[in-house]
Amino acid sequence: MALPATDESLWFRRFHPRPEAEVGLVCLPHAGGAASFYFPISELLPPTVEALAVQYPGRQDRRHDAPIENIHELAHEIYQALKPLAAHRPTALFGHSMGASVGFELARLLEGELGTVPVAFFASGRPAPSHHRSLGIHRRDDAGLIAELQLVSGTDSRILGDTELLRLALPAIRSDYKAAETYEYRPGARLACDIVGLTGDSDIRVTAREVAGWREHTSGSFRLEVFSGGHFYLGEQKAAVAGVITDTLRAATARARRPID
């Protein structure tokens, strides 16, 4: 008899389990993305960091689960699954594109509801919440949606070239775009955690200035990292991104261990 699925097994994929890691890095995919997007980053992280890649409903092994079309609701569901893990060890967050908006709301819940400040929040390829804008992509027909995917190269080319796979994937992709584009930023207290903004220098969907706007949303430190590449610069720059994550978390955990004079 199969064991019932737990919230953790529903939401998180541990591609490289590291139970003794000092920090758990929760990785939140882009619109249309899946947990597997973060496999290359997970592979490059040191033994001190364990990646927990989030699997949104409506794709891959959760393809029969209804997609969630609201960022706040999505963040709340992930928060419920993450609470026991966040209580066990320090947690950091990495969100790309739509995932950065989810990560921001998740960080708010961790700080406001659980009283846990993330070690760091990495906001990638997404304007700051206060700079949010919508292009109305989720309202386009299928051809228009596919054209956007081809433009930003955010979906596996094997899917774009396979009519049957694409037919199965489009509903979840459209739902994600709806969640991302209808997101409503609610003004409130700034995050206490440090934020690192990341972007590609030739991203056609977000400027470095818009990513730099994340500094407005933390009372901690902020820095901007600009990489060569477009909206999905992570594919080409995975080693450099893993290096930024590693160095940031190493420095943060070292500060946390430093005795108070």
Side-chain angles (χ1 to χ4, degrees):
M1 179 183 295
L3 295 175
T6 64
D7 283 350
E8 178 181 346
S9 66
L10 278 176
W11 287 97
F12 303 116
R13 303 292 173 268
R14 301 170 188 254
F15 298 119
H16 304 91
R18 297 173 180 132
E20 302 304 317
E22 295 181 53
V23 179
L25 177 68
V26 178
C27 300
L28 301 137
H30 54 282
S36 56
F37 176 74
Y38 285 107
F39 183 95
I41 296 292
S42 172
E43 191 172 32
L44 291 169
L45 294 174
T48 53
V49 182
E50 181 183 50
L52 288 81
V54 174
Q55 188 75 298
Y56 301 145
R59 67 222 63 209
Q60 292 186 342
D61 55 340
R62 297 194 66 187
R63 62 188 179 279
H64 298 301
D65 297 339
I68 296 175
E69 298 182 340
N70 180 283
I71 293 293
H72 295 280
E73 181 182 347
L74 184 56
H76 184 266
E77 291 296 319
I78 298 168
Y79 168 70
Q80 292 298 328
L82 181 61
K83 277 196 298 184
L85 304 176
H88 174 66
R89 68 179 175 188
T91 298
L93 308 174
F94 189 109
H96 180 66
S97 198
M98 180 187 82
S101 295
V102 179
F104 175 68
E105 295 300 334
L106 181 57
R108 281 181 148 184
L109 289 168
L110 288 170
E111 292 190 3
E113 300 293 330
L114 197 61
T116 296
V117 178
V119 177
F121 171 36
F122 300 90
S124 168
R126 184 73 164 166
S130 54
H131 295 213
H132 175 68
R133 51 183 166 73
S134 172
L135 298 176
I137 294 167
H138 72 280
R139 293 193 295 270
R140 298 179 184 176
D141 61 15
D142 287 354
L145 186 55
I146 293 169
E148 173 66 16
L149 299 177
Q150 293 171 331
L151 182 64
V152 299
S153 302
T155 298
D156 191 319
S157 60
R158 291 170 298 178
I159 294 177
L160 291 176
D162 188 312
T163 304
E164 182 62 19
L165 283 178
L166 192 56
R167 183 184 66 82
L168 294 173
L170 274 180
I173 295 171
R174 187 179 299 281
S175 292
D176 284 358
Y177 268 95
K178 181 178 179 181
E181 294 188 315
T182 60
Y183 168 62
E184 294 183 3
Y185 165 62
R186 301 167 183 171
R190 292 187 292 174
L191 294 177
C193 65
D194 296 342
I195 297 180
V196 179
L198 306 94
T199 190
D201 61 6
S202 56
D203 191 334
I204 64 172
R205 287 292 177 244
V206 59
T207 67
R209 182 175 182 178
E210 288 175 318
V211 177
W214 282 96
R215 73 173 70 248
E216 303 166 13
H217 296 281
T218 179
S219 59
S221 69
F222 173 85
R223 78 175 190 275
L224 178 67
E225 298 279 353
V226 180
F227 300 87
S228 174
H231 190 62
F232 286 92
Y233 69 90
L234 283 86
E236 298 174 356
Q237 304 294 339
K238 58 187 177 184
V241 172
V244 168
I245 294 170
T246 299
D247 292 346
T248 300
L249 298 184
R250 181 182 293 126
T253 52
R255 289 197 304 270
R257 290 193 297 265
R258 191 176 301 154
I260 300 175
D261 296 331

